[in-house]
Amino acid sequence: MTAIMPISRRFFLKSSATAVGAFVLGFAPDVGAQEASPGEINHWIVIHPDNTVVLRLSRSEMGQGSLTGLAQLLVEELECDWQHVRTEYVSPRENLARGEVWGDFQTGGSGSIRELHEPLRHAGAAARIMLIAAAAKRWNVPSDECRVAAGLIRHPRSQRRVTYGEVAALAAGIEPPPIVPLKNPESWRVAGQPLRRLDTPDKLTGKQVYAIDVTLPGMLHAAVRACPVAGGSLQSFNAEAALALPGVRHVLKVDDTTVAVVADRWWQASSALDALAIAWNPGPHEKLTDAAVTEQLTKGLAAPDGFAGAESGDARTAIGGGGRVVVADYSYPYQAHAAMEPINATALYTEGRCEIWAPTQHAGACLETIAEASGVPIENCEVHRLHLGGGFGRRLYHDYARMAVLIAKQVPDTPVKMIWSREEDMTHDYYHPVTRCRMTGALDADGNIAGLHMRICGQSIQGSLRPESLQGGGDARAFHGLNQSAGNGILGYDIENLLIDHVMVNPPIRPGSWRGVNLNQNLFYLESFIDELANAAGKDPLVFRRAMMGSHPKHLAVLNAAAERARWDERPPEGVFRGLAVANGYGSYVAAVAEVSLNGDFIRIDRLVVATDVGNAANPELIARQAEGACVFGLSAALYGECTMEGGAIQQSNFDTYRVIRLADMPKIETVVLQSRDFWGGGGEPPIAVATPAVMNAVFAATGRRIRHLPLTKSGLVPA
């Protein structure tokens, strides 16, 4: 047993018998002995008389499988029957009514398991001890004579047995144990195993309901159109023409930028938008173009100073010291989330109450949004959460929830389902921020890095959306993956003279979190340029990296694991070319080796080997699948993903102009899951950051051309 910890110092346990005899266990950080409102509880565990265990969660499921992983961690410590476990969402209204006992509802940053594993495991272990104590009390025997497995408590000496559900009510009166020993992960039998996901059967049978599937009695449907130009507004529209069309019930001004049509069917509403003859006021950015933004960012690369995120030694002096200097400019474009489930929500506004059925990554923030939009007290509002058909960071922002409520408020007592068209979705996103980077490196006489200056210029998500959160005028989050201090997003190289700084330039196109966020462009820039320096030094890229990793054993371990699986030290087959990359982000370490070949004038990506160390894997198969999915997502962006701007408006509007990678173009992906055991990291985002530079470094090996500007279609090496 490991990690023995006093409960009184870590979390509060509360048990109670319900009308149906269920045993309910909650857990929270240091809240004392409050009975009515126990404090910042994150979850509740419910055990029913039929031995069903329900894990009630604040985090959202959007394909990452974290609900299954969290359930495995619970079952491991609770020792209940995996076949009788299910999960359900806690509503943010219930959370509010109970003093926010479930805490944070945000699902993002690959954080669900790495943030919740400890309290959840402690809660499961405490519940097991209390249930055993209840059975022992019932039999009048010592607890240490009892054994438990799969939710069945046995007393071998008397051959008596009882299920968890049968002693749930009695367990409710048991005092929580003062300390809770946790199992050593090396002894896990449920956690750490590649079990099937709990939500797979419903998805296979079509039983799974997403927000876009919601149907309510008397429901109407809304389609919207917002000003396509950033900063523009709605000037006028002709409601009469649309109201004359079949099925159309209402034409509504939603806000200063948006108009909506409400009809019996969504297609009727969507088609009627074209009859409105909408006139837009384009606002101050109607002449803004990609070229103008590029010019702004390029000027920032030459600014005398920036906001320093990492600094050691004297990089500028070392670079000017007479060694060989390599300079290269890189760029990373705007990118759309392009989730399969388009933006949607169903809202119902009645006097004194507002409800929404929404796919959200942060139900708590969604609740605050609809309360503000409706003018209804927050305690009378509710968010009904459903699984997401893709999130990737887009559904952390609740412009769509606000819009759905503003529509429903004008059609009171009637549920209204609002769906954005794919075109509306793609042209009104919170885009991956646009940046450029100038890399300047100097090599000494031995071909080692004497000095490195990395100047990033571009958009800051915090600076654009929450400027009040900036500290010292800069955005520390812009340096994810480049930090020198211990923590999240650590640079994996020992470079004596180093300067990494950022010049903030915020165009009016709104940025947002996009799976991997700043780690993606930062590692594309860094790992591509490390390869450039290795080539300039005449050294093997793997050997060049290893020489700088003496203080970074976990970076080195995943790099070696990927290289070993890919057989980097062996000559590749004829016509096969390799590249690699390594990173730390979201608490995890990850490396990739890419293999590409030439197919005529085009590059074909044949194979990706991804090694990742998440510390402890609640389910290694989920980690492998997330690595594969991240590679799909990342390669789509790297090969094709770019949103361009003309006249202040995004030009890509559907998958014909914003292409994603197709099945025939997907490489074989092999994953190596390492577990160092001394930390907990996230699995859903880090692989994106290494897949792209590994591929681009392999492209250089194949063609001799450095890919410094994404997407790859710009180079003509993949079909447009």
Side-chain angles (χ1 to χ4, degrees):
M1 297 292 188
T2 60
I4 297 177
M5 194 171 302
I7 287 181
S8 61
R9 294 180 58 189
R10 294 298 300 170
F11 53 88
F12 170 77
L13 295 175
K14 177 176 180 294
S15 57
S16 62
T18 69
V20 295
F23 169 74
V24 184
L25 171 68
F27 50 98
D30 196 16
V31 294
Q34 303 175 53
E35 288 295 328
S37 179
E40 298 177 11
I41 293 179
N42 293 314
H43 306 84
W44 290 105
I45 301 167
V46 182
I47 302 177
H48 291 285
D50 64 358
N51 236 23
T52 298
V53 175
V54 180
L55 175 58
R56 306 189 67 205
L57 294 165
S58 59
R59 305 300 173 94
S60 298
E61 177 62 63
M62 48 192 171
Q64 77 276 39
S66 60
L67 299 195
T68 297
L70 289 169
Q72 285 180 251
L73 293 169
L74 166 68
V75 170
E76 182 64 52
E77 296 293 346
L78 182 59
E79 296 202 27
C80 60
D81 187 349
W82 176 251
Q83 302 302 319
H84 292 110
V85 173
R86 63 182 176 87
T87 63
E88 68 180 27
Y89 290 131
V90 173
S91 82
R93 179 172 176 267
E94 181 181 357
N95 184 49
L96 185 67
R98 299 185 59 178
E100 298 185 325
V101 292
W102 280 272
D104 187 7
F105 274 59
Q106 177 174 307
T107 308
S110 300
S112 293
I113 289 177
R114 67 188 176 108
E115 293 168 2
L116 301 180
H117 69 91
E118 184 177 342
L120 184 57
R121 292 166 64 210
H122 277 89
R128 183 189 73 245
I129 292 169
M130 295 163 72
L131 288 158
I132 292 173
K137 183 177 181 180
R138 178 173 177 173
W139 295 328
N140 194 26
V141 300
S143 291
D144 59 10
E145 291 185 4
C146 298
R147 302 292 180 267
V148 63
L152 182 67
I153 305 169
R154 297 179 297 107
H155 184 243
R157 189 162 56 84
S158 65
Q159 296 187 345
R160 284 176 289 187
R161 59 180 59 194
V162 67
T163 66
Y164 276 177
E166 290 175 297
V167 294
L170 183 58
I174 300 294
E175 185 71 18
I179 59 173
V180 181
L182 297 181
K183 295 181 181 179
N184 188 320
E186 298 291 346
S187 68
W188 284 350
R189 291 177 295 176
V190 177
Q193 304 305 312
L195 302 184
R196 296 178 180 177
R197 287 176 50 160
L198 294 173
D199 55 352
T200 297
D202 284 355
K203 290 180 178 179
L204 290 176
T205 60
K207 184 180 178 181
Q208 182 67 58
V209 176
Y210 295 89
I212 202 169
D213 302 320
V214 166
T215 300
L216 299 173
M219 186 174 74
L220 297 177
H221 300 260
V224 301
R225 189 162 292 170
C227 184
V229 181
S233 60
L234 177 64
Q235 184 171 300
S236 65
F237 56 91
N238 182 1
E240 292 183 4
L243 287 168
L245 296 174
V248 174
R249 301 290 192 92
H250 309 278
V251 176
L252 308 171
K253 179 180 178 181
V254 181
D255 55 25
D256 290 341
T257 67
T258 310
V259 62
V261 174
V262 180
D264 294 332
R265 299 287 182 268
W266 184 82
W267 188 251
Q268 293 172 329
S270 179
S271 301
L273 287 170
D274 293 329
L276 293 177
I278 304 172
W280 305 108
N281 176 6
H285 306 301
E286 63 173 321
K287 295 183 179 180
L288 188 64
T289 63
D290 277 343
V293 172
T294 297
E295 182 179 358
Q296 290 178 326
L297 301 184
T298 303
K299 287 181 180 178
L301 295 180
D305 294 298
F307 179 78
E311 188 172 10
S312 60
D314 189 340
R316 287 191 169 99
T317 299
I319 290 169
R324 181 176 179 183
V325 176
V326 180
V327 181
D329 285 3
Y330 290 80
S331 68
Y332 207 96
Y334 284 118
Q335 293 169 339
H337 292 86
M340 284 294 97
E341 181 187 20
I343 292 295
N344 72 92
T346 300
L348 173 61
Y349 174 87
T350 58
E351 186 175 354
R353 183 170 176 82
C354 183
E355 300 175 75
I356 196 167
W357 288 256
T360 171
Q361 290 181 240
H362 195 328
C366 187
L367 182 69
E368 293 174 0
T369 297
I370 69 169
E372 181 180 358
S374 66
V376 173
I378 195 167
E379 60 270 19
N380 294 334
C381 296
E382 182 62 287
V383 176
H384 304 281
R385 249 187 316 166
L386 299 102
H387 284 5
L388 285 65
F392 314 122
R394 173 60 178 93
R395 288 179 164 100
L396 288 169
Y397 309 101
H398 295 99
D399 52 328
Y400 64 95
R402 172 183 170 275
M403 192 177 293
V405 168
L406 292 177
I407 293 169
K409 194 174 181 180
Q410 298 182 66
V411 191
D413 303 317
T414 303
V416 180
K417 180 194 284 187
M418 177 203 69
I419 302 175
W420 291 14
S421 66
R422 177 64 64 185
E423 289 76 12
E424 200 69 21
D425 185 330
M426 202 164 283
T427 56
H428 295 84
D429 204 346
Y430 283 80
Y431 301 90
H432 187 289
V434 62
T435 59
R436 295 181 78 84
C437 181
R438 177 162 296 161
M439 302 292 301
T440 306
L443 298 171
D444 63 20
D446 296 322
N448 301 316
I449 297 178
L452 178 65
H453 181 196
M454 182 175 183
R455 162 62 61 83
I456 306 167
C457 180
Q459 204 160 15
S460 159
I461 299 172
Q462 294 296 101
S464 297
L465 304 182
R466 295 183 57 208
E468 71 281 359
S469 67
L470 298 178
Q471 296 182 357
D475 181 2
R477 297 188 181 188
F479 301 98
H480 194 181
L482 306 173
N483 297 310
Q484 290 178 295
S485 58
N488 191 18
I490 307 167
L491 179 69
Y493 302 118
D494 300 321
I495 300 174
E496 183 177 356
N497 298 296
L498 174 69
L499 174 60
I500 304 176
D501 55 9
H502 182 268
V503 173
M504 191 184 304
V505 174
N506 290 322
I509 299 296
R510 63 187 186 184
S513 295
W514 187 101
R515 189 178 184 179
V517 203
N518 294 311
L519 189 68
N520 298 343
Q521 71 267 18
N522 289 347
L523 270 295
F524 167 60
Y525 300 152
L526 177 68
E527 286 298 289
S528 297
F529 191 67
I530 291 293
D531 248 51
E532 293 206 42
L533 292 177
N535 182 67
K539 297 183 179 182
D540 176 87
L542 177 59
V543 173
F544 189 72
R545 285 173 169 83
R546 282 172 171 166
M548 298 185 289
M549 292 180 148
S551 301
H552 304 280
K554 286 186 170 64
H555 284 83
L556 181 59
V558 291
L559 184 62
N560 285 339
E564 181 179 353
R565 173 65 69 87
R567 298 185 176 181
W568 182 275
D569 292 332
E570 300 178 15
R571 182 182 295 274
E574 186 69 26
V576 174
F577 305 89
R578 290 173 176 156
L580 50 75
V582 63
N584 167 255
Y586 300 99
S588 293
Y589 299 83
V590 62
V593 174
E595 292 183 350
V596 306
S597 59
L598 287 169
N599 182 13
D601 294 332
F602 296 134
I603 284 288
R604 175 170 179 80
I605 308 171
D606 300 308
R607 182 187 183 207
L608 268 174
V609 176
V610 179
T612 182
D613 184 357
V614 298
N616 291 278
N619 184 321
E621 184 60 29
L622 293 180
I623 299 298
R625 291 175 185 173
Q626 280 296 288
E628 294 164 2
C631 288
V632 175
F633 203 74
L635 290 179
S636 286
L639 271 60
Y640 311 111
E642 180 182 31
C643 292
T644 59
M645 180 172 41
E646 190 68 36
I650 295 295
Q651 299 301 293
Q652 289 67 31
S653 60
N654 211 317
F655 290 112
D656 58 337
T657 51
Y658 191 82
R659 185 176 170 183
V660 296
I661 197 167
R662 297 167 185 168
L663 187 61
D665 301 320
M666 268 302 296
K668 177 183 179 181
I669 301 176
E670 301 173 34
T671 57
V672 182
V673 179
L674 284 68
Q675 299 189 64
S676 295
R677 297 299 190 193
D678 58 339
F679 69 95
W680 291 75
E685 294 172 270
I688 296 175
V690 291
T692 297
V695 167
M696 300 311 157
N697 291 335
V699 169
F700 171 77
T703 66
R705 296 174 58 184
R706 283 290 173 194
I707 307 302
R708 300 189 181 105
H709 307 283
L710 296 180
L712 190 57
T713 49
K714 288 183 174 181
S715 70
L717 290 174
V718 292

